[in-house]
Amino acid sequence: MKIALLGYGKMGQTIERIAIERGHEIILRKDEFNTYEGLSNADVAIDFSIPAVAVDNISSCFYANVPVISGTTGWLDRYDEMVALCAEKKGAFLSSSNFSLGVNIFFELNEYLAKMMSKFDSYRVDMEEIHHTQKLDAPSGTAISLAKGIIENSSYTNWTLDKPKENDPSDSELAKQIHIEAIRIADVPGTHTVTYQSLVDEIEIKHTAHNRDGFALGAVIAAEWIAGKQGVFTMKDVLDLK
């Protein structure tokens, strides 16, 4: 395939290496110093940019009739707008907070555990995510996706970066919100932990990324999968997890 890379930071460069290893060709490396020239010649585009330009990147793909994979987070307040534009232009679009195959299995495990734990109100759930210091958004998009998976399968109503009150969490307005602790440490690709804690024990599930290769490989696999398709998809479609 001919691939356009929209965003050419560390992730873009890792995606380039893996895509070439899998026999693909990179025909555009878009950063702040060049244009979209040549985008229409691509079979698929992969966007790993920054929140400020993600919508422009994705929109440009729809107008160029190029399927687009987006791994950028921090812009999802405009997700519905992009879905509508995709439908209008009869395009193909897949956005994910995390393309790692392991993380997407972790998403499924998280939802299954949330369903089980919803029957036991003696446990409170909390989350922690750790990323490198260059990450612009907090909490991570992956952490938000994990929180949404719990909310959809439990009585929790939202997530928050605020800690529950120490004296009596059951009386706190935060009691039905999932606390996410966002930590930034140099050179950490990404670690996500979901913990259910009671007075007598705790249950924990955790995913630790050792490098960026897992994210990049998943994005390239998604790009291979979406070629020739029309519509809006998720990694559940790619991995046949539905």
Side-chain angles (χ1 to χ4, degrees):
M1 293 191 307
K2 295 180 178 179
I3 299 176
L5 294 179
L6 308 181
Y8 197 59
K10 291 180 180 179
M11 269 302 301
Q13 292 168 37
T14 305
I15 289 169
E16 176 181 42
R17 172 173 56 80
I18 289 178
I20 291 172
E21 288 173 356
R22 292 174 70 86
H24 304 303
E25 177 185 0
I26 307 301
I27 65 165
L28 172 63
R29 299 164 181 85
K30 175 76 175 69
D31 56 25
E32 69 266 35
F33 302 111
N34 59 3
T35 69
Y36 294 103
E37 184 177 356
L39 175 61
S40 61
N41 296 322
D43 297 311
V44 65
I46 301 178
D47 166 56
F48 269 84
S49 56
I50 59 174
V53 300
V55 169
D56 286 343
N57 285 345
I58 296 164
S59 300
S60 296
C61 292
F62 294 147
Y63 283 106
N65 195 31
V66 174
V68 57
I69 303 294
S70 178
T72 307
T73 58
W75 65 273
L76 292 178
D77 55 327
R78 298 184 65 183
Y79 177 78
D80 290 344
E81 179 184 338
M82 291 299 96
V83 168
L85 183 60
C86 179
E88 178 187 333
K89 297 298 180 182
K90 296 181 172 58
F93 178 40
L94 192 159
S95 173
S96 177
S97 61
N98 197 311
F99 283 92
S100 161
L101 306 186
V103 164
N104 280 277
I105 294 169
F106 190 63
F107 284 155
E108 295 298 301
L109 177 62
N110 173 63
E111 292 180 15
Y112 186 73
L113 181 58
K115 291 177 186 177
M116 293 176 60
M117 299 305 295
S118 66
K119 303 172 184 177
F120 306 101
D121 56 12
S122 59
Y123 288 87
R124 173 175 174 82
V125 66
D126 292 285
M127 293 172 51
E128 177 185 271
E129 59 99 342
I130 308 173
H131 280 88
H132 52 85
T133 51
Q134 286 80 36
K135 187 164 182 61
L136 299 179
D137 52 327
S140 67
T142 301
I144 293 173
S145 294
L146 287 165
K148 287 180 177 178
I150 296 169
I151 291 165
E152 291 169 0
N153 293 284
S154 70
S155 61
Y156 285 93
T157 58
N158 207 342
W159 60 266
T160 179
L161 290 171
D162 298 326
K163 292 183 179 180
K165 295 176 182 177
E166 293 183 3
N167 292 337
D168 188 0
S170 64
D171 273 347
S172 169
E173 61 183 8
L174 301 178
K176 289 300 180 183
Q177 298 188 50
I178 302 165
H179 172 234
I180 302 175
E181 185 77 14
I183 300 170
R184 297 293 173 261
I185 300 174
D187 301 323
V188 176
T191 300
H192 294 84
T193 307
V194 179
T195 304
Y196 289 84
Q197 187 165 343
S198 74
L199 293 175
V200 296
D201 61 9
E202 67 180 39
I203 301 168
E204 178 181 288
I205 57 172
K206 180 178 181 179
H207 179 274
T208 302
H210 298 307
N211 52 54
R212 292 182 172 86
D213 284 20
F215 310 132
L217 175 61
V220 174
I221 288 173
E224 293 167 348
W225 181 88
I226 205 172
K229 293 182 173 65
Q230 180 180 318
V232 177
F233 306 99
T234 71
M235 283 299 286
K236 289 187 180 225
D237 298 303
V238 177
L239 302 177
D240 195 22
L241 293 175
K242 289 189 174 182

